[in-house]
Amino acid sequence: MSDDKLYETLKLSLPSDRIRRNESLDKYTHTKTGGKADYLVLPNTYEEASAVTAIAYETGVPLTMLGNGSNLIIRDGGIRGIVLHFNRLNKITVQGNTITAQSGAAIIDVSRTALNQTLTGIEFACGIPGSVGGALVMNAGAYGGEVSHVLVNATLLTKDGEIITLKNEELELSYRSSIISKKDFIVLEAVFALEPGKYHAIKAMMDELTYLRESKQPLEFPSCGSVFKRPPNHFAGKLIQDSGLQKARIGGAEVSGKHAGFIVNVDGATATDYLSLINHIQRTVKKKFGVHLHTEVKIIGED
């Protein structure tokens, strides 16, 4: 399908001001890097998202889901086809001890909503910078808690635009993994079940976790968060530090001097800088310790 015909087809499903052609994606990632999307589409409703997904399926146009770009590197060549961005689908509602959050809502905001409603169980998410959708895809977690501990079910889009709901146990949630990415599902919303708590106790826990995060992580620079998964019987940051790689730099990307598990954008880094530094770290750690570091950050797009 030609670009112009695809554009006209997309305009049948949502207004043209929410269809952006050749849109630079560096403003949509936490690393402030990334090439252009052929089409960046911003749905306001599940029906719009479903329609765009169906168009991509029927025409064979590649479709990519973009959350808030916190645990993501988009290569400098950008992304072909359609990129669905759910920043407008960010509603959070509360009913009793249950919180329902749309995919584009920040998981941090879910934890803050829980605090305001004196609900406990999701304090661990108060420092996770991702969206609800991204948190489900990766079964995000921190400080002993993770999404699988509090998730009831998720409403998802299939590749052909069908809307389905899967229960927690059907999502195959494990360490930084789920069925969502394996089946190319797109998260629309999630339902979390929490417990009644005491406001001051919940806030004290969130304050402590926020302090730990701010004191240990380089939040003053753009970054993609923790770059590598935790290898068995090791800590990625410690291996990187013991390999003498702290403050190692390629282009504008640098291994953080505050936490070696993070790569920060200190001077106009490109995605290529990030990927080159990641490869350098992996080779060095493998040579010194015989441990292969697998990336936790998702890497997409073209070179």
Side-chain angles (χ1 to χ4, degrees), residues 4-237:
D4 288 340
K5 188 174 181 181
L6 178 58
Y7 182 60
E8 293 302 318
T9 303
L10 288 170
K11 285 200 299 182
L12 297 175
S13 298
L14 68 171
S16 59
D17 66 331
R18 291 191 274 113
I19 306 168
R20 301 178 184 176
R21 304 175 80 171
N22 297 314
E23 179 79 355
S24 179
L25 296 172
D26 56 3
K27 68 187 79 170
Y28 299 98
T29 66
H30 281 220
T31 61
K32 306 302 180 188
T33 65
K36 293 181 179 181
D38 290 345
Y39 290 90
L40 181 73
V41 179
L42 307 164
N44 269 351
T45 66
Y46 295 164
E47 290 73 23
E48 288 179 350
S50 177
V52 173
T53 303
I55 289 169
Y57 179 76
E58 292 165 4
T59 61
V61 173
L63 179 70
T64 303
M65 176 61 204
L66 179 62
N68 75 347
S70 61
N71 192 234
L72 180 72
I73 295 173
I74 299 174
R75 295 184 178 95
D76 295 321
I79 300 177
R80 304 289 69 79
I82 300 168
V83 175
L84 266 179
H85 189 32
F86 278 7
N87 64 332
R88 292 168 180 253
L89 292 171
N90 57 14
K91 186 177 180 181
I92 300 172
T93 57
V94 182
Q95 185 173 11
N97 298 338
T98 299
I99 295 180
T100 301
Q102 292 185 316
S103 177
I107 192 71
I108 288 175
D109 289 341
V110 176
S111 72
R112 291 170 179 163
T113 299
L115 169 65
N116 292 335
Q117 298 293 320
T118 63
L119 295 173
T120 184
I122 201 166
E123 291 89 336
F124 70 87
C126 70
I128 296 174
S131 65
V132 168
L136 264 65
V137 171
M138 296 292 290
N139 187 27
Y143 301 109
E146 60 183 39
V147 165
S148 65
H149 297 166
V150 291
L151 183 70
V152 177
N153 59 54
T155 301
L156 309 166
L157 264 179
T158 66
K159 288 186 287 187
D160 60 357
E162 181 186 0
I163 297 176
I164 63 172
T165 299
L166 294 183
K167 297 177 182 178
N168 182 320
E169 56 270 23
E170 297 175 300
L171 291 166
E172 298 180 10
L173 298 165
S174 59
Y175 177 64
R176 303 300 178 262
S177 178
S178 71
I179 198 175
I180 299 168
S181 57
K182 298 173 186 175
K183 297 285 188 179
D184 292 327
F185 293 148
I186 294 173
V187 179
L188 293 178
E189 71 177 35
V191 178
F192 302 98
L194 306 175
E195 297 290 336
K198 295 183 178 180
Y199 181 89
H200 293 295
I202 297 169
K203 188 174 187 304
M205 175 63 73
M206 291 174 66
D207 287 346
E208 180 182 355
L209 296 182
T210 298
Y211 169 76
L212 290 172
R213 178 171 178 263
E214 291 177 347
S215 63
K216 294 181 179 180
Q217 298 181 14
L219 304 181
E220 65 273 23
F221 292 105
S223 82
C224 56
S226 181
V227 177
F228 301 101
K229 294 180 181 179
R230 184 177 66 247
N233 304 315
H234 294 282
F235 292 98

